[in-house]
Amino acid sequence: MFAQNGAGGMVASWLVREGRPLADQPVVFLGSEGETAVLAPDMAGFRQVLADDFSPHEAFYGRDEPDGRHAAEAIVEAAAREFPGFEAAVEALLI
């Protein structure tokens, strides 16, 4: 875990790519209300998400702006497709 929002949600690196450095691991969100989302496939993607002013909340619920797609949305969607089992992995830890 390396960041926390005001509601208590955490941003963390998910160590799922065995043998790969921390910068190459996906970045995930664990919300205080049980929300889970893969934010980026790696730290470089997460930096782009931040540069696009895209919050973990928006990664889970979506962005309400009507002005079209942002780079961050594409990164989050690609990361979610690459790691579809994240929510199940978190739930398995809670059982």
Side-chain angles (χ1 to χ4, degrees):
M1 307 272 180
F2 59 85
Q4 182 175 12
N5 68 12
M10 301 286 215
V11 177
S13 292
W14 182 27
L15 304 178
V16 69
R17 292 178 170 148
E18 195 170 325
R20 303 272 299 272
L22 190 60
D24 291 344
Q25 303 292 341
V27 177
V28 299
F29 175 66
L30 302 167
S32 62
E33 301 295 323
E35 310 95 330
T36 60
V38 181
L39 300 177
D42 53 29
M43 193 56 71
F46 182 62
R47 285 193 303 269
Q48 179 61 48
V49 168
L50 292 177
D52 202 20
D53 197 29
F54 201 81
S55 72
H57 182 270
E58 289 170 317
F60 186 76
Y61 292 106
R63 189 176 256 183
D64 291 332
E65 296 177 13
D67 62 336
R69 296 180 52 79
H70 296 270
E73 290 172 308
I75 291 169
V76 170
E77 288 171 6
R81 283 192 306 274
E82 184 177 355
F83 300 100
F86 176 63
E87 184 175 354
V90 171
E91 288 178 11
L93 293 172
L94 301 175
I95 294 176

